[in-house]
Every structure is written in structure tokens, then in C-alpha cells.
Amino acid sequence: MGSPDVIVVGGGVAGIAAAVSLALAGASVHLVEARRRLGGRATSFVDAPTGEVLDNCQHVALGCCTRYRRLLDLLGATDALRWHATQYWVEAADGDRERVSRIRPGVLPAPLHFAGSFAAAGFLTLEEKLAIAAGIRELAATSRGQWEDRTFAAWLDAAAQPEGARRKFWEPVIVSACNAWPDRVSASPAIKVFQEGLLASRDAAMMGVPRVPLVRLYEEVPALLGATGGRVLLGHAATSIQPRLVTMADGSTVRAGRVICALPLEKAVVAVRDERGEVDRGLTLLASRQTFSPIVGVHLDFDRPVMEIPHAVLVGAATQWVFGHEGDGRRLHAVVSGAAGWVEWSQEQIVEQVVADLAARFPRSMRGATCTRARVVKERRATFEATPSFERARRVAARWEQAVSLAGDYTDTDWPATMEGATISGFEAARRLGGRIR
Ligand SMILES: Cc1cc2nc3c(=O)[nH]c(=O)nc-3n(C[C@H](O)[C@H](O)[C@H](O)COP(=O)(O)OP(=O)(O)OC[C@H]3O[C@@H](n4cnc5c(N)ncnc54)[C@H](O)[C@@H]3O)c2cc1C
């Protein structure tokens, strides 16, 4: 390897965002990734039995994820997401009658754009709707900073939300957006999800679902870096990261004008050192506060179409969300976030639970349908939990000087662990280097 202007270590969304924005600013960048493909936790794998490229888990962006959408523009992948304005909330069927509530923006301007379809939704009682409407009004005016030290469950208590409203509405939204349950997650990021994802504008809650395997979103990265003399180095693990020096697993070293560490926190805390070989105290603080939350994804093929709608929140089910594969109701992907209760189950138990949840909600189409293939992906350390303790540490650590510029979803982005947070951190790390390249 030659000596580039910048080395970015870690080829997940954060590293890609940093590398691409620096290359577009004219820097030569080496993007070093331990695995054989880009994307980190937001990527794909080859399913050995079929040779098919599958995503490790369905990833969804919201309309309010403006920096992630900007990154897709830079990667020439703007059209790679299909945007859905309607959300489908599906209760257990009444006999053979499916019960689907469609939540979508109506004629009223934001923040009232969901009022019409929400009022008509069948999955909530009138009492629950009134409580949620009052809660949302209160939440819109809440200052997030005041709630950082308390959980979202505490906020729900303070807002007197009844049990049914929590179970059927607040929990599905927060657990899938933050990958943490209300009694664990700080109220601050949870409130942000509602303020920015639901209420800010008509388009903010639109759901962007990739039409192609995630790994294809990053196909342009080598060309973008190559244009300024940089490159992507796959299958290269770094063991030590210092301000101008990266040591690789084979013992070789590479020098650069600047270095960005875009590793996950638990790897960054081990690898990052200042010029004197001292550990980064911000990373040490954060790593000591980090807890993980698992996500389980299930790829399912049926012998016939079983779900007509493009995606569904399964109200009152253990399985939280189901996505249809590009309008083909035969291929589904189920997602369970905050899945601590699921990860010890066998593949068979997991598939059985998901199929039972589908059968209870889509009885006519599921009757007689056979699941021809199932692939379960358990991500035990899917994301950090944005607990009050971790959120506090993110703010504190961000104020301390860093010898190596840090990027990653865990940095102080104000977002829970998301592609948007990862992108913000990458852009910000690149911006910080700015004039300091060489
Ligand atoms: C199952 C699952 C579902 C999710 N769903 C969503 C969703 O729907 N929407 C959403 O916005 N977010 C979702 N997320 C969260 C999102 O994927 C992450 O927040 C984001 O991708 C993190 O990006 P990152 O670049 O910070 O970290 P990572 O993706 O972890 O990237 C770090 C990179 O560093 C590499 N690396 C590690 N060690 C070394 C080394 N020694 N040398 C070189 N490279 C190394 C890793 O291989 C990896 O590529 C989901 C995550 C999971 C796991």
C-alpha cells in the first residue's frame, strides 16, 4: 500500500460515508475492511445452500434520514430504495376476516397528517386513541434533553398511557426504531423518533425499503475512491490505529496524513491509541457503558403468495414486522428487534413462531401454504442499547479530545443505532479532518 491522505478503518456505513465524502473533496483515501465485503452490519451474505445473496436483516430507512439519503445519492444509489407512504398494522384475524389498519398521511398538514387514518384505525380502542393523541401532543412539545436520564417507560408513565396503547402502538414503534424496549431505552432518542420520524413533515415517516441486496448499494465505492488515487482494501484487519499509523494483522504498517477509525465500539476501544500508545478515554468510558440488543431476521419462502400488502406490523404478535420481497407475496422477511427472548431458540422454534403469527393474521392465504425454505439470522450483538447511562456517556465522551478521528453509530449523533446515525458520524469525521488533510 502507498501512503494516502487518509486511511479509514472499517467499511461499514460510517466508514463508507467518511471515505466517500473525503474522496469527493479531493483526498486520496484507503478504506480498510476486515471482511470480504463492504457494509458492516448493513450488508448481505451468500446463502450457502442456494448461492443466493441475502441481507443479514431487512434494513429500513425513514424519510427523515436525510444524511443517509444523501449518502445514497453520492453512491449513485438514489433509486435503490422503494418508498412507502402507508404503514399496515395487522391484528389477529376475526375468523377469516383480515384486519388491516392503514396509517398514511391525509389532507391535513404536519403534524396532523396522520390524524385521519389514525382516527379510522381499527387496532386501537377509542380510549387508547385518545390517550395516544394526548401523548403525541405532549411529546411534540417535550424537550428531549430533560428526558435523557430517564427511560421511555418513565415518559409513558408520566403521560399516563394505558397498557393497550403501550403494547399495540408505542412499543412496536420504539422497539423497531431503537432496538430496545421502553424500560431500557432513554426517553431522549425515543422522543426524537416521534418528533422527527412521525411529526416533522408529511414525508418524514415514509419507509424506504431496499429493492436490491444491501451490498449492492456500495458497488460504486471503489470507483469513487479510485478517482482520487484511493482504494478499497477488503480482507485487511487492522490491529492498531494511531493518529497517522495503522498496523495490520499481518504486522505490516501503513502511514497516512490522517486516520479515521470507523470500527464498532468494542473493536475501536481495543485498537485505538494516541501517539504515545495511550488508550482513548472517551472510548473506554463508552465501552464500559455499552450493552447490546439482539435482532433476529427470518427469510421465508412459501409455495404461494401469502401476504398481499408490501409490509406489515403484526399487532399483538411476538413477530414484529414482516416485509414482502419486492411485491412478491411468496417471499417474506420477518424482523424481531429487542430479541433477547428469541436468540436462544432453535431455528425450528423461531420459524414455527413466525409462521404461527402470520397464520393468525392472514388465515385465508396461509391456509394450506407450505413454507419451502427458511433461513434464520441471529445478530446477538446487533446494536448498542441507547440506555440513559450510554446516552450520557456519548455526550461526555464527545467533549473529550480525540487523537484519532472516530466514526460509528455509537458516537454522539443524537440517533439510536441506525444507518442515519452511522452516516452522520462518517460525514462529521470527514468534515473534522477538512483542512487538516496533509
Ligand atoms: C440485524 C440488524 C438490523 C438493523 N436494522 C436497521 C434498520 O432497519 N435501519 C437502520 O437504520 N439501522 C439498522 N440497523 C443498524 C445499522 O445496521 C447500524 O447502526 C449501522 O450499519 C452501523 O454502521 P457502522 O459503520 O457504525 O458500524 P459497522 O456496520 O459495525 O461497521 C464496522 C466495520 O468495521 C469492520 N471491522 C471490524 N473490525 C475490523 C478490523 N480490525 N479491521 C478492519 N475492519 C474491521 C467490520 O467488519 C465492519 O464492516 C440494524 C442492524 C442490525 C445488526
Side-chain angles (χ1 to χ4, degrees), residues 203-223:
D203 293 342
M206 272 194 322
M207 285 172 47
V209 181
R211 298 140 61 115
V212 296
L214 286 164
V215 72
R216 285 190 43 201
L217 305 179
Y218 319 122
E219 280 174 347
E220 285 303 309
V221 177

Side-chain angles (χ1 to χ4, degrees), residues 256-280:
R258 307 294 302 186
V259 175
I260 292 176
C261 172
L263 301 184
L265 173 57
E266 62 280 13
K267 299 268 175 70
V269 71
V270 178
V272 170
R273 294 284 180 275
D274 68 13
E275 255 133 8
R276 288 166 300 145
E278 302 287 331
V279 296
D280 184 294

Side-chain angles (χ1 to χ4, degrees), residues 134-333:
I136 284 180
R137 273 196 304 278
E138 194 172 321
L139 187 146
T142 299
S143 152
R144 293 202 295 270
Q146 290 175 356
W147 279 92
E148 191 173 273
D149 287 340
R150 283 173 282 173
T151 63
F152 190 58
W155 185 87
L156 291 171
D157 288 344
Q161 292 300 303
E163 197 276 332
R166 294 178 193 228
R167 187 171 41 80
K168 291 188 273 179
F169 177 73
W170 298 104
E171 279 178 9
V173 175
I174 285 311
V175 176
S176 53
C178 299
N179 189 28
W181 288 84
D183 62 343
R184 299 281 307 162
V185 72
S186 160
S188 171
I191 292 170
K192 180 184 176 77
V193 166
F194 283 99
Q195 287 180 341
E196 293 190 15
L198 201 76
L199 305 173
S201 73
R202 291 174 63 81
D203 293 342
M206 272 194 322
M207 285 172 47
V209 181
R211 298 140 61 115
V212 296
L214 286 164
V215 72
R216 285 190 43 201
L217 305 179
Y218 319 122
E219 280 174 347
E220 285 303 309
V221 177
L224 286 166
L225 303 197
T228 48
R231 55 198 282 218
V232 175
L233 293 131
L234 297 177
H236 288 260
T239 52
S240 161
I241 302 172
Q242 289 179 278
R244 291 169 192 277
L245 182 73
V246 176
T247 307
M248 311 303 292
D250 63 7
S252 61
T253 54
V254 195
R255 290 196 171 276
R258 307 294 302 186
V259 175
I260 292 176
C261 172
L263 301 184
L265 173 57
E266 62 280 13
K267 299 268 175 70
V269 71
V270 178
V272 170
R273 294 284 180 275
D274 68 13
E275 255 133 8
R276 288 166 300 145
E278 302 287 331
V279 296
D280 184 294
R281 63 185 187 123
L283 285 172
T284 309
L285 170 71
L286 281 171
S288 72
R289 300 276 178 88
Q290 181 172 226
T291 52
F292 293 95
S293 180
I295 298 179
V296 170
V298 187
H299 298 269
L300 295 163
D301 282 359
F302 289 91
D303 62 347
R304 67 193 70 177
V306 293
M307 192 174 87
E308 282 169 15
I309 50 182
H311 48 83
V313 187
L314 304 192
V315 180
T319 312
Q320 293 153 358
W321 283 82
V322 181
F323 297 85
H325 181 78
E326 271 298 281
D328 174 0
R330 263 179 295 230
R331 311 201 70 187
L332 304 184
H333 185 84

Side-chain angles (χ1 to χ4, degrees), residues 54-94:
L54 298 176
D55 287 344
N56 59 348
C57 188
Q58 179 76 62
H59 273 62
V60 174
L62 294 180
C64 61
C65 297
T66 52
R67 272 58 60 91
Y68 180 66
R69 296 173 73 180
R70 171 79 186 125
L71 175 63
L72 293 182
D73 290 346
L74 298 179
L75 296 174
T78 310
D79 297 332
L81 300 194
R82 186 181 296 286
W83 290 95
H84 301 266
T86 304
Q87 291 179 12
Y88 304 85
W89 293 64
V90 186
E91 297 167 85
D94 179 10

